[in-house]
Every structure is written in C-alpha cells, then in structure tokens.
Amino acid sequence: MKIAVYSEVVDACFQYRILFPLQTLAEKGLCEFHTYTTPFQDKGFKPALAIFQKHVDPQYIELAKQLRADGVKIVFEIDDNFCAMDPTNMSNLVCSTNRETTRRHFEAYKSLGMDKYFPQYKHLLEHDADWVVNQAESNFGLLLQFMKMADATQVSTVALRTAYSGYGVKNLMVLPNLEKESEWVGVVKAPIIGNVIIGWAGSFSHLYTDLKPLVNPITHVLKERPNVKFKILGLPPAVELFPDAPKEQIETSDWTSWDAYKEAVAEFDITLAPSYASRKFAQGKSPIRVYQSWMKSNPVVASELTYGDVVN
C-alpha cells in the first residue's frame, strides 16, 4: 500500500505516531510511504491512503478533499486533548476552547519575552489579543471539521476517543503509543560509579504543571545526598526553578537528536514521570515516558493519573 503523510512538524510525536509504525510496515514489505511538511500534492506518487497529523490549516483540508475525490482514504491523527487543554499549556495560543485562557497566554507571551522559548508562536505578535483569541477558537473548529471529514481519526488513548466523541466525531480509532524494541537494542547503559542519577524529560509546557511541584523534594534529596545528581532533558531553563539546590548536582541538556535522547534516558537510575495537569488532559496522555525507561530496565516514579494503569 502507498501512503502519503502530511505532518505539521517532524518531532517526537511524529516519530511515535507516524514514522515508527510506517517504518515497521515498510520493513515487512507492507507499505511504501512518502512524508510532506507542506500541502503539496505529489502527482508522481499515487497513494491509497493519506495521513494528516494535527493540521488546522484550511489548505490541508482542501488537499484532503482533493485526495478523497480521487479515491484516497483519509486518516486524521491527533494525540492531544484540545477539548480540555490544560490551562498552563502554551498550545492554548493556537487551538483552544477557552477564550480567556488564550488571552492570558498571549499577554504573558508578549510581556515575558517567551518567544525565545516558543519561537513557533512569534508570528502571533503581529496581531492583537482579540485576533489571537478568535483564531485559536476558529482553529479548534477546523480541527473538528477535519476529523469529521476524514474516513477515520486516530488517537492514542481511550480518554481521547471519549473526549472527541463528545463533539460528534464518530470515526475514532485508538492506536496506543508503543516502544519499538529494536530502537533501544544498541543503547548501552553506562553506570557511573558512586553516583545516582534521577532524570526528568519534558518541554516548556510541562515546566510549571509537572516539574515545579517536585522542586522542594528534589532540592531536599540533593542536599541530603551529595552523590545524587538530577538530570533535566529537553529544557535547560528549568534549572531556574531550583535556586536553593546545589548547582553542581543538576545537569541539563537540550534536545539534539533521537539517538542522543535515548543515550541520556539510559543513564537514568530513576526516572520521574509526574503528571499533574488537569484531570481530563492528563488522562488523555500516553505512558510513553514509562515505556522508554523500561526499555533500559530503569525504575520509574510516576503519577497515578496518567501512568497508573501501566505501572500497576
């Protein structure tokens, strides 16, 4: 089967939800796929199936309609609960059901210089707050329109299926996130003699929701145990949350590559997987952080809300 993939960005979500599954199918000779990051109809590639990930751009909806008119089946892929986006999540800037939350995020984005952490939203500074609020609300409507138009919508959890079905989306399929074991086979866990590494990985949207509640206990542990180091993956500015912790015991690293990320996770002796977002949003998240650590037999301390079913 030939499959065309239209992804908003090539990121970790793209890897887990699109790339790894299609690579596995291709390795078995079951599919051939091409990926695109623009609404481009490749006349030289005739797909039987087209997958669109997270798009709220009218150009992609029109492309999907054209492909469907040519007999191509359309799948829409999403793994976030935009029906109940956590109030702290910066994605409220571009797709939201809560106008006041979007307004607060935009005012903070402008006044606090947050464009250095979220450059992908910098174009919003060309508009006023009312425009941004209206656009975010309109984008949620486009999201539902795309999902209802598609032959199927693919989500990662039962909670997401429940959330979007409440908005009249009927063609929902749950395909859970899974780890590809072969991706971790060559990743070596190199023990650091005498030290214990506690690790956390996340983006800015998780900084205040998930990491900030752990500041006091982590600071206490670091002060009590000089041989313990706390490693933060993906968000170097998070170190600013720990003004009272011994600086030499905190390490940070930015996202670089998938291979570098796997090596860093393998170094963890204990993985922290907190999930303190609003209940509906947290229930919609997948337990991928736990799976990643288990690939290298690392113990995990996880929140019940998102990870309870897997850990238990």
Side-chain angles (χ1 to χ4, degrees):
M1 175 185 287
K2 290 185 176 181
I3 302 174
V5 178
Y6 295 90
S7 179
E8 186 179 35
V9 291
V10 178
D11 58 5
C13 180
F14 169 78
Q15 287 188 159
Y16 275 96
R17 303 297 299 160
I18 305 292
L19 184 60
F20 290 165
L22 291 186
Q23 282 180 339
T24 300
L25 290 175
E27 289 167 4
K28 297 178 180 297
L30 297 175
C31 83
E32 174 189 353
F33 68 96
H34 289 187
T35 61
Y36 310 93
T37 54
T38 59
F40 166 68
Q41 187 170 4
D42 185 354
K43 299 296 185 181
F45 185 69
K46 303 294 184 182
L49 175 70
I51 303 173
F52 291 80
Q53 188 178 43
K54 290 188 180 179
H55 285 298
V56 293
D57 188 326
Q59 295 181 79
Y60 284 96
I61 295 179
E62 289 306 311
L63 173 59
K65 289 179 179 178
Q66 293 172 22
L67 290 169
R68 198 174 189 195
D70 292 337
V72 179
K73 294 294 184 182
I74 304 298
V75 171
F76 189 77
E77 150 64 33
I78 189 165
D79 77 333
D80 274 322
N81 188 354
F82 285 98
C83 311
M85 183 64 65
D86 189 82
T88 66
N89 197 307
M90 192 61 73
S91 294
N92 281 286
L93 273 173
V94 292
C95 187
S96 178
T97 60
N98 191 315
R99 294 175 61 86
E100 287 308 309
T101 297
T102 300
R103 188 177 298 276
R104 286 197 301 271
H105 273 287
F106 182 64
E107 295 302 332
Y109 189 80
K110 284 197 307 181
S111 61
L112 299 178
M114 297 183 73
D115 52 300
K116 63 183 178 181
Y117 301 119
F118 297 93
Q120 67 270 37
Y121 303 138
K122 198 169 184 175
H123 66 282
L124 296 177
L125 296 176
E126 300 171 6
H127 305 280
D128 62 20
D130 288 338
W131 186 93
V132 173
V133 169
N134 290 333
Q135 189 65 28
E137 187 175 57
S138 174
N139 284 343
F140 182 73
L142 288 173
L143 187 75
L144 293 179
Q145 180 185 338
F146 211 147
M147 295 167 80
K148 291 176 181 180
M149 180 270 293
D151 294 290
T153 294
Q154 174 180 303
V155 296
S156 55
T157 65
V158 172
L160 287 180
R161 181 177 64 190
T162 301
Y164 287 112
S165 65
Y167 282 83
V169 181
K170 301 182 182 302
N171 47 353
L172 289 151
M173 303 184 302
V174 178
L175 275 74
N177 284 335
L178 297 172
E179 273 298 333
K180 189 176 181 182
E181 189 175 3
S182 60
E183 283 286 321
W184 295 83
V185 170
V187 182
V188 178
K189 181 179 179 67
I192 301 175
I193 305 301
N195 287 334
V196 174
I197 297 179
I198 299 175
W200 175 86
S203 64
F204 202 95
S205 60
H206 298 279
L207 180 63
Y208 294 103
T209 306
D210 296 332
L211 185 58
K212 189 176 181 180
L214 303 183
V215 168
N216 288 338
I218 288 173
T219 299
H220 176 76
V221 169
L222 295 180
K223 286 182 176 180
E224 290 289 317
R225 303 288 181 180
N227 67 317
V228 174
K229 294 186 181 298
F230 181 53
K231 189 158 188 176
I232 300 170
L233 294 185
L235 194 61
V239 72
E240 297 172 10
L241 286 180
F242 299 86
D244 299 324
K247 294 294 184 288
E248 68 278 7
Q249 290 174 246
I250 299 181
E251 298 178 6
T252 65
S253 62
D254 211 339
W255 298 113
T256 53
S257 69
W258 172 235
D259 288 339
Y261 173 75
K262 289 185 292 184
E263 290 172 2
V265 169
E267 289 183 359
F268 292 174
D269 294 298
I270 300 171
T271 298
L272 301 182
S275 182
Y276 299 122
S278 61
R279 186 172 187 84
K280 286 185 178 180
F281 184 74
Q283 284 176 328
K285 301 301 290 182
S286 78
I288 198 67
R289 294 274 187 250
V290 171
Y291 293 152
Q292 289 170 346
S293 291
W294 284 350
M295 288 294 102
K296 303 315 299 178
S297 300
N298 295 343
V300 179
V301 179
S303 294
E304 178 74 21
L305 192 56
T306 298
Y307 305 102
D309 289 345
V310 171
V311 172
N312 293 334

